[in-house]
Amino acid sequence: DYLIQVQARIDTFLVHNPSVAKSTIPSDLVTASGSGLDPHISPEGAFVQVSRIAKTRNMDEAKVKALVEKSVQQPLLGLFGTKTVSVLELNISLDKLSIN
């Protein structure tokens, strides 16, 4: 059942991101955290969506990419954990950029 869910998520992602190759989809975008409510994604998960986000928001792709780069949060003390991007904070920053 889980593999069917993951495949459905991959299919949905590819419909919305047709320029992305299936083999380059970051796993965190098609799998779920234990609670299914994780507010963060990997930097790779954010970068793979830059083109779609820029097109959807009618923004320059380079500006969106720069904002994603700026939004990458380093692990605690640079040692513990992985780099992440807060989806909420990134969306707020994108909204502010769209207004200007």
Side-chain angles (χ1 to χ4, degrees), residues 2-65:
Y2 182 68
L3 292 176
I4 292 169
Q5 288 177 343
V6 171
Q7 185 60 54
R9 292 177 188 146
I10 290 169
D11 294 342
T12 299
F13 182 86
L14 291 172
V15 166
H16 295 286
N17 298 274
S19 64
V20 176
K22 181 178 178 179
S23 62
T24 63
I25 301 171
S27 62
D28 63 305
L29 295 183
V30 295
T31 58
S33 65
S35 67
L37 300 172
D38 193 351
H40 295 81
I41 60 174
S42 67
E44 296 80 14
F47 284 117
V48 78
Q49 298 180 80
V50 164
S51 179
R52 178 185 55 82
I53 292 167
K55 183 178 178 183
T56 300
R57 289 179 173 260
N58 197 28
M59 297 172 69
D60 180 63
E61 196 169 316
K63 288 183 180 181
V64 174
K65 184 177 179 182

Side-chain angles (χ1 to χ4, degrees), residues 39-43 46 68 71-73 83-88 90:
H40 295 81
I41 60 174
S42 67
V68 170
S71 298
V72 174
Q73 300 171 352
K83 295 178 182 179
T84 60
V85 173
S86 168
V87 175
L88 175 62
L90 179 56

